[in-house]
């Protein structure tokens, strides 16, 4: 599996290569709260049952989970959006092994708006994240969720979260190339304009 990062904007590279919680990184970059909107969920059921009932609509490769025979999984698709702007930043798909999660975390994941990273944090779970693949591709069906053109370029990564030496979650995340950089540039222009207005206000006040 290739983990070599493609040529990307530094903010996109940081998001794809980072091993922290994606929601936290997004909030730091965008200066707005991030909400998780679950748009599709299925299971718990075996991968074979899910494929027979729903078809294979997820990107992570279930073979990387090293599942036991008849071990059930939950498959989720979610969009991470700005709470104020509703701008979509990340499309995330995950395969979760509920039997490997502590306590009621699996039940919590079934709730609308649940964030895997934040649930793990709130439960104080000791986890390890391993980056598996990174790359670029056309948006295609992701355009519906990321609000891009079908021929737009998006960057993606797959990684797994392990706990106690076993993989508990396998994820694929897709981001519109350059969107974060555009948001930061917009914020910078507004800050400069605000500073300029404040400077003019101080000059006017002193002059009067």
């Amino acid at each position: 599996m290739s983990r070599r990062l493609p040529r990307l904007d530094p903010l996109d590279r940081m998001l794809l290569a980072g091993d922290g919680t994606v929601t936290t990184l997004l909030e730091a970059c965008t200066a707005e709260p991030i909400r998780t909107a679950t748009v599709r969920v299925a299971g718990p059921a075996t991968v074979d049952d899910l494929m027979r009932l729903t078809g294979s609509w997820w990107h992570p490769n279930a073979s990387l989970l090293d599942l036991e025979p008849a071990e059930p999984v939950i498959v989720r698709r979610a969009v991470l959006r700005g709470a104020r702007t509703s701008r979509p930043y990340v499309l995330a798909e995950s395969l979760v092994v509920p039997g490997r999660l502590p306590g009621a975390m699996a039940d919590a994941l079934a709730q609308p708006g649940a964030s895997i990273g934040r649930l793990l944090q709130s439960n104080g779970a000791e986890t390890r994240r391993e980056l598996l693949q990174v790359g670029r591709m056309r948006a295609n069906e992701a355009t519906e969720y990321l609000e891009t053109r079908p021929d737009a370029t998006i960057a993606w990564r797959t990684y797994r979260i392990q706990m106690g030496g076993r993989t508990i979650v396998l994820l694929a995340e897709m981001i519109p190339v350059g969107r974060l950089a555009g948001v930061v540039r917009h914020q910078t222009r507004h800050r400069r304009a605000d500073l300029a207005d404040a400077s003019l206000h101080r000059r006017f006040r002193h002059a009067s």
Side-chain angles (χ1 to χ4, degrees), residues 79-162:
V79 181
L80 277 60
R81 291 181 175 271
R84 288 195 298 268
T85 63
S86 291
R87 184 182 289 116
Y89 294 112
V90 175
L91 172 63
E93 295 176 347
S94 56
L95 286 169
V96 184
V97 189
R100 302 177 187 178
L101 295 175
M105 193 181 298
D107 293 333
L109 273 178
Q111 302 302 314
S115 165
I116 292 173
R118 285 184 166 167
L119 279 173
L120 290 170
Q121 278 187 335
S122 65
N123 281 268
E126 293 186 8
T127 60
R128 174 177 175 268
R129 295 172 185 245
E130 181 185 4
L131 183 64
L132 299 173
Q133 280 185 303
V134 291
R136 294 164 66 115
M137 65 181 186
R138 296 299 181 190
N140 297 324
E141 71 270 17
T143 187
E144 174 186 353
Y145 305 101
L146 295 176
E147 298 177 9
T148 65
R149 301 186 315 275
D151 62 346
T153 299
I154 62 174
W156 60 271
R157 71 169 177 175
T158 59
Y159 65 101
R160 58 186 166 195
I161 302 176
Q162 295 181 316

Side-chain angles (χ1 to χ4, degrees), residues 32-91:
E32 68 170 322
I34 299 297
R35 61 180 176 86
T36 301
T38 305
V39 295
R40 190 166 185 179
V41 62
T46 66
V47 172
D48 288 343
D49 285 343
L50 289 172
M51 291 184 67
R52 186 178 69 255
L53 295 171
T54 70
S56 180
W57 51 267
W58 56 87
H59 287 80
N61 183 353
S63 66
L64 297 173
L65 289 171
D66 296 323
L67 294 168
E68 301 292 338
E71 190 171 14
V73 298
I74 298 171
V75 58
R76 300 172 75 240
R77 176 180 284 168
V79 181
L80 277 60
R81 291 181 175 271
R84 288 195 298 268
T85 63
S86 291
R87 184 182 289 116
Y89 294 112
V90 175
L91 172 63

